[in-house]
Amino acid sequence: MGKKDKAKKGKGAEKTIAKTLKKQTNKLKKELAAKGEEDLEQVIKDLEEADRKKNATVEDLLKDGPSRRANFSFNAHIDKDEIIMFGGEYFNGQKTYVYGDLVIYNLKKKTWLRIQSPGAAPPRCAHQAVLTAGEGGQLWIFGGEYASPSQSQFYHYKDLWVFYLKTKKWEKINATLGPTSRSGHRMVLCKKQLVVFGGYHDNGMDYKYYNDLHTFDLESRTWRKIEPAGIAPSPRSGCQMLALPDGRILITGGYSKNKVKKDIDKGIVHSDAFLLVPDKHDTNGTKWKWQSVKLSGTKPSPRTGMSVVANTIGNRAYFFGGVQDEEEDEENISGTFFNDLYCLDLEKLNFNRITLDGVKSKKEVIDAEGAKSDMVQDVEQPEASVNAEQPIVVDDGVFTLTIGPSTSGNAENANAGATGAVAVQVTIPSPRMGSGLCVKHGVLYLYGGIVEDGDKQYTLNDMFALDLHKGVEWDELIHDEQAKCEWIDSDSESSGMEGDDSSDDDDDEESDEAMEES
């Protein structure tokens, strides 16, 4: 009798939850109708149907480059001198735009080509993309999210797509048993498998973080859920995931949040690290083990939204930027954004911070600047500081931002006095999170991202390149001086006008969303 009673109670609870969800859904639909917004599932179905009806591929040269964006994919072509950008998002203070364009940057011609092919993957951000070498290059895309213009709806994908770079055709992979809908997850290529970890799902009423592991076999085109031995990382999104040269996979950092009170969440920035180790005797790629690991060296401070890319030449990975949030109270947070660059040795798992010295030979300075003497500066040796270095405020003409403390000396003075060398002003990207990062021919490329200034959130469309062999300074390929002008206050009709910002609750939700995705 007792077991039957428990079963009845359990079914009653399930019915209550279902009724509550139905009421919340109906309420949301009424609110959306009042705003003039359609249900996102229907919007996405309509977008896919419209793409299927296209008859031909259309290519456009983008004279001014791609639109400003963050949380997009940015992959270097394996065989060609190209970078492939897909998706991303942009919020201007009033409206959210989610992109589904595929744009190719030609490194030699310095041109941007947008390719619109029939049957394309629908718009998304916070997805993952991996480029493989087969058949002239294949771009594999999994998951991500689509947000309504008002950010009152979020749709999370669980679809897998491949774009064939040679034929410029899309294919949707209809494989079963894959991961659930999510964004902010991570995906890497390990041998002939795509490996997917973590992420989160938010339906507007509740959220969930994941720490599950899935693999997709590129030859059999099948999904498999993996249950590794050992203690797994806690559920999280926005972590850094890297495939190591010896077949292991490194996972570090990430973000998650827990409910503190009914309507109050507490964010957690993870700074731990784990290795996913394959079984040496397993030939099917199904047996793995989790191992906790400590990364050594000069590590980045705990933060979210760092961009990372592995460079197979030299077995190094590069980490850039991010944000460190500080809770002022239970409901308000403020962020310190970074523009520092770190290198991780993938064999020793040792971090080093890269300090650009800005030192060039006299000939390089003259050639680059047309013999302008005002670009050559005399440099004094810095005085020793007895105080611990504090975060500093920098005004670069566009933003006034807090930059995290440096663990190294003055980059402008480093190597000063070297024979035949002249210290110059160091070019460096402004602080940001959620930017695109990739490596091609020993050059590190950075595009876009997000930065916050008080209650305002600016999305960037600048681009930089850093020669990793020389390590002198970043080269600014695209300058962005309009980011601040793009912001529209909540009660303004045009950009550039001052007005009341959105509520603090809305600002905090946008900040959490950015950290989860990045």
Side-chain angles (χ1 to χ4, degrees), residues 304-307 320-323 337-339 401 428-435 446-451 460-464:
T304 59
M306 289 191 81
S307 300
F320 179 86
V323 61
F337 284 77
F338 297 87
N339 60 348
L401 302 166
I428 188 169
S430 61
R432 66 192 68 198
M433 63 178 286
S435 53
L446 175 77
Y447 187 94
I450 295 173
V451 68
L460 309 171
N461 70 339
D462 50 0
M463 185 174 181
F464 295 82

Side-chain angles (χ1 to χ4, degrees), residues 32-179:
L32 294 174
K35 293 179 181 179
E37 285 190 6
E38 295 183 59
D39 178 71
L40 280 195
E41 285 194 43
Q42 187 59 48
V43 170
I44 292 165
K45 286 180 181 178
D46 292 343
L47 287 171
E48 285 198 57
E49 182 62 28
D51 263 325
R52 276 194 292 269
K53 291 180 179 179
K54 291 179 180 178
N55 296 319
T57 296
V58 178
E59 298 182 6
D60 300 305
L61 275 175
L62 303 180
K63 182 181 178 181
D64 298 323
S67 57
R68 56 187 73 252
R69 65 188 68 195
N71 299 316
F72 52 94
S73 55
F74 202 59
N75 301 82
H77 198 297
I78 295 174
D79 302 318
K80 296 184 178 181
D81 294 332
E82 296 176 343
I83 296 173
I84 299 93
M85 172 191 290
F86 177 76
E89 63 178 328
Y90 165 50
F91 176 63
N92 67 2
Q94 287 190 346
K95 188 176 180 181
T96 296
Y97 301 85
V98 181
Y99 302 113
D101 50 352
L102 187 142
V103 186
I104 296 179
Y105 180 67
N106 188 300
L107 297 175
K108 291 183 177 179
K109 297 179 181 178
K110 297 184 179 180
T111 56
W112 294 92
L113 181 68
R114 181 175 60 196
I115 300 175
Q116 296 172 287
S117 299
R124 66 192 66 206
C125 62
H127 56 282
Q128 285 287 280
V130 167
L131 207 149
T132 62
E135 299 180 38
Q138 301 175 3
L139 185 70
W140 292 84
I141 295 169
F142 173 75
E145 71 178 58
Y146 184 90
S148 64
S150 66
Q151 292 193 345
S152 56
Q153 295 184 85
F154 295 95
Y155 180 88
H156 295 261
Y157 294 98
K158 62 176 180 179
D159 50 357
L160 179 65
W161 294 78
V162 58
F163 180 75
Y164 299 94
L165 291 162
K166 186 177 181 179
T167 60
K168 298 173 184 175
K169 291 183 178 180
W170 285 97
E171 180 185 359
K172 186 175 183 179
I173 308 300
N174 296 312
T176 59
L177 305 177

Side-chain angles (χ1 to χ4, degrees), residues 127-380:
H127 56 282
Q128 285 287 280
V130 167
L131 207 149
T132 62
E135 299 180 38
Q138 301 175 3
L139 185 70
W140 292 84
I141 295 169
F142 173 75
E145 71 178 58
Y146 184 90
S148 64
S150 66
Q151 292 193 345
S152 56
Q153 295 184 85
F154 295 95
Y155 180 88
H156 295 261
Y157 294 98
K158 62 176 180 179
D159 50 357
L160 179 65
W161 294 78
V162 58
F163 180 75
Y164 299 94
L165 291 162
K166 186 177 181 179
T167 60
K168 298 173 184 175
K169 291 183 178 180
W170 285 97
E171 180 185 359
K172 186 175 183 179
I173 308 300
N174 296 312
T176 59
L177 305 177
T180 56
S181 305
R182 65 191 66 198
S183 59
H185 52 287
R186 292 296 179 257
M187 180 170 76
V188 296
L189 176 66
C190 186
K191 295 182 179 179
K192 295 182 179 180
Q193 294 186 120
L194 302 177
V195 183
V196 177
F197 170 81
Y200 82 106
H201 185 279
D202 186 344
N203 62 8
M205 294 172 282
D206 199 5
Y207 58 81
K208 182 178 181 180
Y209 288 83
Y210 299 102
N211 66 343
D212 52 351
L213 187 73
H214 299 261
T215 61
F216 180 79
D217 190 304
L218 292 171
E219 292 185 335
S220 64
R221 295 201 169 189
T222 55
W223 281 107
R224 184 191 298 267
K225 184 175 182 179
I226 305 297
E227 302 284 356
I231 300 174
S234 58
R236 64 192 66 192
S237 68
C239 62
Q240 287 80 49
M241 185 175 181
L242 294 161
L244 306 185
D246 58 7
R248 298 179 298 170
I249 295 174
L250 173 68
I251 290 172
T252 181
Y255 176 84
S256 63
K257 58 184 180 181
N258 296 320
K259 288 190 179 296
V260 178
K261 296 180 182 179
K262 184 179 179 181
D263 297 318
I264 298 176
D265 301 315
K266 181 178 178 62
I268 302 171
V269 178
H270 300 280
S271 58
D272 49 2
F274 294 83
L275 283 173
L276 185 61
V277 183
D279 188 318
K280 294 181 180 179
H281 305 291
D282 175 37
T283 57
N284 297 320
T286 59
K287 294 183 180 180
W288 299 76
K289 181 179 180 180
W290 287 113
Q291 289 182 354
S292 178
V293 64
K294 288 188 177 181
L295 306 178
S296 59
T298 306
K299 296 178 287 186
S301 58
R303 63 185 76 174
T304 59
M306 289 191 81
S307 300
V308 61
V309 63
N311 184 12
T312 54
I313 301 174
N315 292 328
R316 300 286 190 270
Y318 297 90
F319 295 67
F320 179 86
V323 61
Q324 184 178 40
D325 281 330
E326 297 178 5
E327 295 191 10
E328 298 173 354
D329 51 51
E330 288 184 336
E331 297 184 3
N332 297 298
I333 57 176
S334 61
T336 300
F337 284 77
F338 297 87
N339 60 348
D340 45 3
L341 180 64
Y342 290 84
C343 174
L344 176 66
D345 187 314
L346 296 180
E347 293 180 351
K348 300 177 181 178
L349 298 183
N350 181 77
F351 266 111
N352 283 295
R353 174 167 174 161
I354 297 177
T355 302
L356 303 178
D357 53 32
V359 174
K360 301 180 179 180
S361 68
K362 289 181 180 179
K363 183 178 183 302
E364 286 179 308
V365 173
I366 292 172
D367 290 344
E369 306 298 337
K372 292 182 181 179
S373 60
D374 58 342
M375 293 300 293
V376 181
Q377 307 175 32
D378 292 329
V379 180
E380 296 180 359

